[in-house]
Amino acid sequence: MAGFKQKRFFFWWALVALLSLSACKQSPEPLQLTQQQWAEHLQLPSVQQASELSLSWSDKVTQHELQWQDSARGREVPALLYLPAGVSAAKLPLIVFSHGLGGSRDRYAYLGLYWASQGFASLHLQHIGSDRQIWRGSRLTLPFRLMSAAGEEEALARVADVRFGLDKLLQSEFAALIDQNKLIMAGHSYGANTTMLVLGAKAEPHQADLRDARFSAGMLISAPPFYNDKPLSQVLAGIAVPTLHITNTMDEIEVPGYHSRPEERIDIYQAMPGPEKVLAVFYGGNHNIFSGRRQKPELALQDKVLKAATQSLSAAFVRQITGEGPRAVAQWRQQHQPLLAQFEQYATLSTAGTARQALN
């Protein structure tokens, strides 16, 4: 795949999202809820459930640290597997998760723990080369480490990590627990880019097909646009599975010379050609609020509420696309309407089997 147009192909804002120079810029109203409204949302069922679960993770979830070595690539692929506690012979849906730039296998524990508590297996990969190690070393050379982490070589290595990690898991002692017909790819920020490539996105005409057909759905949190000359609909044309898209009204980054608006996450949703797709745009938040990183005190309420809403929506989406809860997403929407600046659900066939429709 020599000749990739690195600066155009990879989303620059994955680099700057975690930089100290990055900042969320406000878009047109309405954007924010008051602190009182956020406090009231602490009574939402999803927030209450998340609070209760946080007191007893050890009773509900087991975690398995995995240290894999891909000898063919000479690359280490650490992973963390979350499983429901007490599971022995069940066939579980599996979510494979890709972290954002500077993240790690345990950074998004709030998702892995929750998914396992809901009866799903969750494999969180760590991408050496674009993980937390990039923060180590001189600040003077940090921009070069970031450039390398978001470059062509590492982006392709991430996709290979996913294929290798899934192969290893399905060859391990845990394979008997996994329903191989219910595999979902997911990621945040840079991980959302990895997810789209794994599902069939093609940014350049010469790009090899990176799609892993074993995945039957995708979940994109803060998905980036592709900075090239091709229409998004063309870039994403190869994605033929259901997708969930999550963002917020403050999911925006601006640094000198670069600007990524929340609307660009919505552009991804609108251009996605899959048979079923869901978009949730929360009020407030920021780009990093989904990352599991500690937030500023003034965002503490938003952090708690939006993480819980993301947990419950992603679980509802998995139940819906695996046939375990045909109206799970609609029910979630009814409970969380006050948090939603925008919500859309599209399917080629409705639950009643009628013709193509869009639900706004």
Side-chain angles (χ1 to χ4, degrees):
M1 295 183 62
F4 254 40
K5 299 176 182 177
Q6 176 178 324
K7 292 183 180 178
R8 296 190 309 165
F9 178 71
F10 302 111
F11 48 99
W12 54 266
W13 54 270
L15 287 174
V16 301
L18 300 176
L19 287 173
S20 59
L21 294 177
S22 66
C24 295
K25 180 183 177 182
Q26 189 166 341
S27 298
E29 295 290 345
L31 282 180
Q32 290 284 23
L33 303 178
T34 66
Q35 286 294 93
Q36 180 179 347
Q37 288 173 311
W38 286 112
E40 292 171 355
H41 292 327
L42 293 176
Q43 302 305 313
L44 285 170
S46 63
V47 182
Q48 294 290 303
Q49 180 195 37
S51 296
E52 293 171 5
L53 287 171
S54 68
L55 301 176
S56 57
W57 288 129
S58 60
D59 297 331
K60 294 179 170 58
V61 178
T62 62
Q63 301 179 53
H64 306 268
E65 292 188 356
L66 306 170
Q67 297 292 145
W68 291 322
Q69 181 72 29
D70 186 347
S71 57
R73 296 186 295 149
R75 181 177 171 95
E76 184 182 359
V77 184
L80 182 58
L81 178 66
Y82 298 90
L83 291 173
V87 64
S88 58
K91 287 291 188 178
L92 307 172
L94 171 68
I95 302 167
V96 179
F97 188 84
S98 176
H99 63 73
L101 185 71
S104 64
R105 62 182 175 179
D106 54 2
R107 171 63 71 185
Y108 297 80
Y110 79 98
L111 290 174
L113 290 166
Y114 182 84
W115 289 334
S117 76
Q118 301 305 296
F120 314 140
S122 179
L123 180 68
H124 290 231
L125 301 171
Q126 184 160 329
H127 304 288
I128 303 298
S130 57
D131 63 347
R132 60 189 172 195
Q133 295 180 23
I134 64 175
W135 305 118
R136 300 171 185 170
S138 171
R139 291 183 63 86
L140 294 177
T141 59
L142 177 59
F144 299 100
R145 297 197 299 274
L146 291 169
M147 289 288 289
S148 176
E152 171 190 347
E153 183 177 353
E154 176 57 25
L156 297 180
R158 280 172 151 258
V159 175
D161 288 346
V162 172
R163 186 178 296 274
F164 173 80
L166 182 56
D167 286 344
K168 290 293 289 185
L169 184 68
L170 297 182
Q171 295 165 6
S172 73
E173 68 272 25
F174 300 108
L177 302 176
I178 306 302
D179 187 338
Q180 297 189 34
N181 294 315
K182 296 178 180 179
L183 305 181
I184 299 98
M185 185 64 206
H188 169 244
S189 192
Y190 201 172
N193 178 264
T194 302
T195 297
M196 288 188 284
L197 292 174
V198 168
L199 296 180
K202 190 170 183 179
E204 300 293 343
H206 60 267
Q207 178 192 320
D209 186 1
L210 303 176
R211 184 173 65 94
D212 190 327
R214 292 175 292 183
F215 290 102
S216 57
M219 296 192 290
L220 309 174
I221 304 175
S222 297
F226 287 86
Y227 284 84
N228 57 25
D229 299 329
K230 296 174 61 178
L232 270 174
S233 58
Q234 187 175 346
V235 171
L236 302 176
I239 298 179
V241 298
T243 51
L244 169 66
H245 303 248
I246 298 176
T247 184
N248 61 64
T249 57
M250 301 295 285
D251 193 354
E252 182 169 1
I253 302 164
E254 185 169 17
V255 296
Y258 297 103
H259 180 210
S260 178
R261 297 170 290 108
E263 290 80 4
E264 291 176 299
R265 324 294 181 251
I266 299 172
D267 291 341
I268 291 284
Y269 164 81
Q270 292 175 336
M272 193 66 68
E276 182 176 355
K277 55 186 180 180
V278 176
L279 169 70
V281 183
F282 296 120
Y283 285 111
N286 59 35
H287 181 69
N288 287 327
I289 208 159
F290 301 113
S291 70
R293 300 178 70 201
R294 182 175 297 178
Q295 298 294 317
K296 296 178 181 179
E298 60 267 27
L299 291 176
L301 291 178
Q302 296 184 42
D303 181 71
K304 188 171 185 177
V305 171
L306 294 186
K307 282 180 180 175
T310 299
Q311 289 171 324
S312 57
L313 173 56
S314 57
F317 177 76
V318 173
R319 292 192 187 97
Q320 182 157 305
I321 58 99
T322 57
E324 298 177 8
R327 290 191 51 79
V329 171
Q331 293 168 352
W332 178 93
R333 181 190 184 185
Q334 289 177 345
Q335 290 183 341
H336 295 83
Q337 189 63 48
L339 293 179
L340 295 169
Q342 184 176 349
F343 182 91
E344 294 186 19
Q345 184 174 357
Y346 170 90
T348 53
L349 291 177
S350 71
T351 54
T354 58
R356 192 174 185 172
Q357 66 174 355
L359 304 176
N360 298 314

